[in-house]
Amino acid sequence: MDGHLFQFAILFGVLGLAAVASIWLRLPVVPLYILAGIALGGLVAGDEIVEFLGSLGVAFLLFTLGLDFSLHTQARDPARFARSGAIDWLFNFPTGLLVGLALGWTWTEALFLAGITYMSSSAVVSKCLVDFGRAAHPETETILNIMVFEDLVIAVYLLLLNSLVLGSGSGLWGYVGGLAPAALFVAVLIALAWRFSGPLGRLLSTRSDESFGLLLFSFVLLVASAAIAAGLSAEVGAFFAGIVIGATDLKRRAARALDPFLMLFAALFFVSFGAGIDLGAMGAVALPAVGLVLLGIAAKIAGGFLAGLSSGHAPAPSATIGFSLVPKGEFSIVIAALAGSVARPESGIETLTAVYVLSLSIVGPVLMRESPRIWAQGRSLVRRRTRG
Amino acid sequence: MSTRETDLPGIGTKHTIDLASDEELVVVAHRSGQWELARTDAGGDTTTLLHLQAEEGAELGRILSRGEVPESDPHRQLLLDEFSLEWVPVGGGSSLAGATLREADIRARTGASVIAVLRGRESILNPPPETSFAGGDTLVVMGHRDQVERFLETFCPPETG
């Protein structure tokens, strides 16, 4: 017990300093937490309490993302929403798939990598958009539309991937059997959001903030465990729980109640991800990692740029959209953790993802911040060339 | 003039007002409670004008909505032209601090009426004569404009020094 108190004193101290450093460096705090995890290594790695609190953190994080998931705005211009989202998918999903197959991986492993290269980090991107003062910009709507589209796709993707993993080797019926409990789970939750958001809201909305917070925690963890029972991951369950609560009028209160816990526990999630990175194994994946990082950045920028143009933005804001889709984070880590339990260890998928997520969570925000300057410089360079 | 409302998932809600000048005024209500005001010019460039804390935004809203007097209601207009309703804080140095409503003899001296006393989170509506005032209270005073002005001159002299 005493040992744990001291351990957490050090841990929170280091995380606090990392958060201060993020303000100095004008970077989001996520990559600094991961770096802190790498630095702390043995103090954190394999510690059950840190890992458990971290898993609560990622569940709360995905719950909050689910809360904000509403198709209210997107339904107004579904064609534009679908077009920009589809372009982003076309550029980034096949990237991971092809790299995985080129590395000689199985289809399942390559599909995991496809999800990892596809998902941008909603948490990092929306934080950066606010910090860089772009919330009011018109292109921000398109960026967030693409994020919502990614969330929609990833929910279906995780369901299908799940059935692929559970039912592998037992033919078509095996796949269907693997899909059934998960599909049932989603159907029940959609029904809950659709038909019973009223009674559920009344049940949860007690006057005291204390009982509300406790009942909400219980609800999120209950849905997360139901998701595990259905063969899905706890994170996916928490995400759906967020969608259900987001459909009630408790949305804001829920976000407020979770916020302080989210801040602490999500930090522990990123730290234990960092602590789990095997520095020794990095050498073996160095070459594919550099290739994947460069390809990943290029694909996100190109896809975002075209998605921007197709949504009627001028070239400069379209470039900003491209740069803004680069940051990676929570979703890629969650998919990598799922992959780790299934993929062959020799594929190195976990180490590869670690390098990839860490690089893009640093490079992405910097590209985002500097995008107007990069665009202006690039254009004047092209002009000089064409004149000379 | 038209207003559009858009969700910004993870950030908050965006309200866009088309202005007569071919510009747009963008108001972002952040989930954190803060407000951001920005202007999009005719060329499509967006500049952030202001960041406001929650209570600053609420105060701005109060000021802007106060000017909204529907001209179609002549009775209400007349009432607002002739009568005045003031929220008056009682300073520690005011002669009202420590006095009861009866002792202060407000109605006879100024013609204005105190219709409510706001103290912390409680409010005393239609205060009885034995209600005593304390520094920090806020009085809601009603009367003709000149009566309310007389009230302010009598009980709230401008701070000196």
Side-chain angles (χ1 to χ4, degrees):
Chain A
M1 185 65 202
D2 288 352
H4 263 120
L5 289 183
F6 183 66
Q7 179 200 11
F8 271 85
I10 300 291
L11 189 51
F12 283 129
V14 170
L15 292 180
L17 291 177
V20 173
S22 82
I23 299 171
W24 275 62
L25 297 168
R26 294 178 62 207
L27 277 177
V29 75
V30 167
L32 290 154
Y33 286 157
I34 301 176
L35 286 173
I38 296 178
L40 289 169
L43 185 71
V44 180
D47 185 290
E48 276 182 20
I49 300 184
V50 176
E51 278 182 3
F52 176 70
L53 293 178
S55 67
L56 283 185
V58 68
F60 290 168
L61 185 61
L62 288 174
F63 174 79
T64 334
L65 294 177
L67 272 187
D68 271 319
F69 180 90
S70 93
L71 293 173
H72 177 71
T73 301
Q74 286 72 24
R76 222 173 289 157
D77 194 349
R80 202 166 106 166
F81 169 62
R83 198 166 51 228
S84 56
I87 295 175
D88 172 56
W89 184 88
L90 264 176
F91 271 79
N92 296 288
F93 193 84
T95 307
L97 191 69
L98 294 176
V99 169
L101 292 176
L103 288 170
W105 293 1
T106 65
W107 271 90
T108 313
E109 288 161 351
L111 275 172
F112 274 117
L113 193 62
I116 290 164
T117 55
Y118 172 53
M119 290 304 290
S120 300
S121 165
S122 313
V124 174
V125 171
S126 55
K127 176 80 172 42
C128 286
L129 286 170
V130 172
D131 286 353
F132 303 152
R134 303 216 179 118
H137 287 213
E139 72 267 17
T140 294
E141 278 180 39
T142 306
I143 296 170
L144 295 172
N145 268 346
I146 293 175
M147 296 286 159
V148 171
F149 189 90
E150 287 188 0
D151 291 350
L152 199 65
V153 170
I154 211 67
V156 179
Y157 159 89
L158 286 172
L159 281 178
L160 293 177
L161 199 63
N162 218 62
S163 78
L164 198 65
V165 170
L166 286 179
S168 55
S170 41
L172 181 65
W173 287 112
Y175 293 128
V176 174
L179 193 57
L184 184 71
F185 169 84
V186 174
V188 167
L189 280 181
I190 289 176
L192 208 59
W194 199 266
R195 298 285 312 162
F196 298 105
S197 63
L200 182 73
R202 279 196 293 280
L203 182 73
L204 282 174
S205 67
T206 57
R207 241 191 220 182
S208 110
D209 281 341
E210 206 167 317
S211 57
F212 173 73
L214 289 167
L215 288 174
L216 183 70
F217 270 39
S218 164
F219 175 75
V220 175
L221 300 182
L222 202 65
V223 177
S225 2
I228 295 178
L232 289 164
S233 75
E235 293 85 2
V236 181
F239 181 66
F240 279 107
I243 296 178
V244 170
I245 297 291
T248 68
D249 45 10
L250 297 172
K251 186 172 159 176
R252 289 191 131 194
R253 195 172 172 200
R256 252 201 331 267
L258 273 187
D259 224 30
F261 302 97
L262 174 65
M263 204 171 67
L264 283 182
F265 296 164
L268 294 178
F269 164 69
F270 290 114
V271 155
S272 59
F273 170 71
I277 295 177
D278 182 2
L279 287 178
M282 272 191 187
V285 296
L287 201 64
V290 171
L292 186 66
V293 167
L294 292 177
L295 255 179
I297 294 177
K300 273 288 174 189
I301 295 177
F305 183 69
L306 282 181
L309 291 181
S310 88
S311 300
H313 293 288
S318 296
T320 303
I321 295 173
F323 291 130
S324 303
L325 296 177
V326 174
K328 298 280 159 178
E330 64 285 352
F331 271 115
S332 302
I333 299 178
V334 168
I335 298 171
L338 287 177
S341 61
V342 176
R344 296 160 303 129
E346 64 267 28
S347 69
I349 190 166
E350 281 191 281
T351 317
L352 195 60
T353 320
V355 179
Y356 180 71
V357 170
L358 183 59
S359 317
L360 264 61
S361 64
I362 296 174
V363 173
V366 173
L367 285 176
M368 255 178 108
R369 194 176 67 202
E370 304 299 327
S371 79
R373 217 164 306 161
I374 298 172
W375 176 255
Q377 294 242 327
R379 205 173 51 172
S380 69
L381 207 70
V382 171
R383 282 221 180 117
R384 224 173 299 148
R385 281 275 170 76
T386 46
R387 228 180 281 149
Chain B
M1 191 190 76
S2 71
T3 308
R4 287 190 308 282
E5 189 184 310
T6 349
D7 278 338
L8 299 179
I11 296 179
T13 314
K14 172 172 153 179
H15 307 266
T16 310
I17 306 171
D18 287 324
L19 302 178
S21 52
D22 240 13
E23 295 170 311
E24 285 175 346
L25 177 65
V26 184
V27 181
V28 180
H30 285 260
R31 223 171 45 174
S32 58
Q34 291 174 326
W35 300 89
E36 182 176 343
L37 301 183
R39 191 190 64 194
T40 304
D41 63 25
D45 283 329
T46 304
T47 331
T48 299
L49 306 171
L50 262 184
H51 286 277
L52 296 174
Q53 298 302 319
E55 60 274 24
E56 296 165 347
E59 180 61 23
L60 177 67
R62 269 196 291 279
I63 292 170
L64 293 181
S65 60
R66 223 176 269 164
E68 208 176 48
V69 180
E71 281 163 81
S72 55
D73 188 345
H75 289 292
R76 195 169 155 196
Q77 185 69 46
L78 185 71
L79 192 72
L80 282 170
D81 279 344
E82 286 190 17
F83 291 97
S84 180
L85 201 58
E86 278 285 342
W87 272 250
V88 185
V90 178
S94 164
S95 59
L96 283 176
T100 63
L101 184 55
R102 196 196 316 266
E103 287 161 1
D105 209 11
I106 294 170
R107 180 111 26 107
R109 286 169 72 185
T110 68
S113 318
V114 175
I115 59 169
V117 180
L118 311 177
R119 181 174 298 155
R121 299 186 62 161
E122 80 177 309
S123 53
I124 308 162
L125 211 66
N126 239 336
E130 55 274 17
T131 309
S132 65
F133 304 121
D137 287 353
T138 299
L139 308 186
V140 183
V141 181
M142 195 187 75
H144 278 280
R145 279 183 186 280
D146 50 328
Q147 291 170 334
V148 172
E149 264 164 40
R150 209 173 306 138
F151 174 90
L152 291 173
E153 280 162 23
T154 315
F155 295 107
C156 306
E159 301 275 329
T160 48

